[in-house]
Amino acid sequence: MGTLNNRKVAVIGCGFVGAASAFAIMESGLFSEMVLIDMNTDKAEGEALDISHGLPFSKPMQIYAGDYKDISDAAVIVVTAGAGQKPGETRLDLVKKNVSIFKSIIPQISEVNKDAIMLIVANPVDILTYTAWKLSGYPENRVFGSGTTLDTARLKYLLGQHLDVDSRSVHAFIVGEHGDSEIAVWSSANVSGIPINRFCEMRGHFHHEEAMQRIAEDVKNSAYEIINKKGATYYGIAMSVRRILEAIIRDEKTILPISSIQHDNHGVSGIAFSMPAIVGKNGVEATVPISLSPDEEKALKESASTLQKVIDDVF
Ligand SMILES: NC(=O)c1ccc[n+]([C@@H]2O[C@H](COP(=O)([O-])OP(=O)(O)OC[C@H]3O[C@@H](n4cnc5c(N)ncnc54)[C@H](O)[C@@H]3O)[C@@H](O)[C@H]2O)c1
């Protein structure tokens, strides 16, 4: 294994999510080389050509369809390959199909590259992060999932709309499973340091319980709604992937709610789920012990036990 090229990224799986992520990565200007891999080689080649034709309007880079031997020096490998949810399916329904796809993909990655950072995006992302960690032999800090980065963006967006304020000024997290048992952490939510309920009142909103429940449900059901309407979700996750890669490549040490293997985090150990973590050039540098209300802590433990049951079933 040679040295890594910090300007090189690989995207495995070029369906809706992989292609949109590749486009967002091209637009980011973070990399000078991008390899696209898909079992459907025509799809990977078509996406590489199509995205390359935007380069005269962006920044120069090499984008090509390749094979696993082409990723031996990639600094970051993004794995989006796997079946997506059909209308009515939950993310956990995908587990058997996608674990078996990972059993074919992950060993092919670690055979050629043991030093990259592996970002898991395919669903159920927490279970597949655990699977990738087990199968790859990578250390925990270098294999993690996009987790609730997208759900947190959805929460910030909806709160921004509700409060008529820039969503980037909203500080709030979704934690736990990227799925039906996820938790909105209202106890520490704030808008630029002002506790969320006080900011709501400043903006003329007083029915806090009702609004919190409605917004958390809307976040949770976003993917179902989009899948019912257009068949798949991909732009929001593509922007989340771009943001996570930016934190890694620029060594930003940004706090993002990615999914990683936990160690006694609110009593949860040995599974992957999302908690805020510092993300930089070494991947996950540390998890941030976010404080939770007793109800949030109880919900987090339930979320963890849902995931643990799936892991016990699969492994
Ligand atoms: N983490 C998130 O927030 C998030 C958001 C949206 C979607 N997703 C997930 O991302 C995954 C991909 O979704 P999509 O809409 O792009 O699906 P898709 O069906 O459009 O694409 C999947 C791609 O994977 C490829 N593939 C399958 N098996 C492969 C293998 N063994 N090797 C190489 N390529 C293989 C397929 O050929 C296909 O092109 C799904 O699991 C979906 O649930 C995650």
Side-chain angles (χ1 to χ4, degrees):
M1 312 235 175
T3 30
L4 297 184
N5 176 354
N6 209 33
R7 291 273 172 207
K8 181 165 175 180
V9 62
V11 178
I12 302 184
C14 301
F16 289 115
V17 172
S21 298
F23 178 71
I25 291 168
M26 180 275 272
E27 279 269 73
S28 75
L30 285 167
F31 297 94
S32 51
E33 194 173 340
M34 175 159 57
V35 187
L36 304 183
I37 298 180
D38 198 291
M39 63 190 293
N40 177 347
T41 49
D42 277 348
K43 180 78 163 86
E45 282 168 15
E47 296 298 354
L49 280 174
D50 196 3
I51 296 170
S52 297
H53 296 164
L55 287 171
F57 309 112
S58 182
K59 296 186 176 69
M61 68 185 290
Q62 298 298 321
I63 304 172
Y64 54 94
D67 203 340
Y68 287 92
K69 65 181 178 336
D70 297 311
I71 67 168
S72 60
D73 60 345
V76 192
I77 299 167
V78 182
V79 187
T80 78
Q85 291 162 265
K86 298 203 178 69
E89 266 187 330
T90 70
R91 294 178 181 89
L92 290 178
D93 288 334
L94 301 171
V95 74
K96 291 227 156 60
K97 275 183 262 186
N98 288 352
V99 165
S100 111
I101 289 174
F102 267 44
K103 282 185 177 161
S104 120
I105 291 176
I106 304 296
Q108 296 192 75
I109 297 175
S110 50
E111 201 182 316
V112 294
N113 187 333
K114 284 200 178 354
D115 303 314
I117 289 176
M118 212 189 287
L119 175 64
I120 308 304
V121 180
N123 274 321
V125 70
D126 304 293
I127 304 295
L128 293 181
T129 297
Y130 179 91
T131 307
W133 170 61
K134 280 276 170 194
L135 296 176
S136 65
Y138 273 40
E140 288 171 11
N141 60 306
R142 287 198 283 104
V143 50
F144 57 96
S146 58
T148 53
T149 306
L150 172 58
D151 317 65
T152 296
R154 288 170 173 157
L155 176 66
K156 289 183 184 194
Y157 166 74
L158 288 175
L159 280 170
Q161 292 288 104
H162 181 63
L163 299 171
D164 193 20
V165 68
D166 184 345
S167 55
R168 295 172 303 176
S169 300
V170 176
H171 303 283
F173 285 107
I174 301 279
V175 299
E177 179 202 354
H178 167 61
D180 296 341
S181 69
E182 68 186 28
I183 299 112
V185 185
W186 293 113
S187 59
S188 58
N190 68 85
V191 179
S192 289
I194 302 170
I196 194 80
N197 286 355
R198 190 139 66 81
F199 196 88
C200 284
E201 287 168 14
M202 283 164 53
R203 303 302 254 177
H205 297 293
F206 296 91
H207 302 290
H208 303 313
E209 276 306 318
E210 190 192 310
M212 285 190 286
Q213 262 189 22
R214 175 173 52 77
I215 289 172
E217 281 301 304
D218 284 354
V219 169
K220 200 182 296 181
N221 293 326
S222 294
Y224 293 116
E225 186 184 356
I226 298 167
I227 289 166
N228 279 333
K229 291 190 154 121
K230 58 174 256 189
T233 80
Y234 37 95
Y235 295 122
I237 183 60
M239 290 298 284
S240 309
V241 167
R242 172 192 162 143
R243 182 70 193 95
I244 296 166
L245 298 188
E246 186 178 44
I248 297 168
I249 293 300
R250 302 189 70 250
D251 193 21
E252 291 182 351
K253 304 191 193 302
T254 308
I255 296 182
L256 294 167
I258 47 77
S259 179
S260 61
I261 305 293
Q262 299 296 317
H263 292 283
D264 198 16
N265 204 331
H266 294 275
V268 178
S269 295
I271 59 161
F273 75 5
S274 287
M275 289 299 271
I278 300 174
V279 180
K281 70 175 188 315
N282 299 314
V284 181
E285 310 223 328
T287 51
V288 178
I290 192 173
S291 56
L292 299 173
S293 70
D295 282 352
E296 290 162 353
E297 176 140 353
K298 184 166 169 274
L300 189 80
K301 290 199 162 117
E302 282 164 14
S303 185
S305 94
T306 305
L307 291 168
Q308 184 69 60
K309 280 193 200 111
V310 178
I311 285 176
D312 293 345
D313 217 37
V314 176
F315 290 90

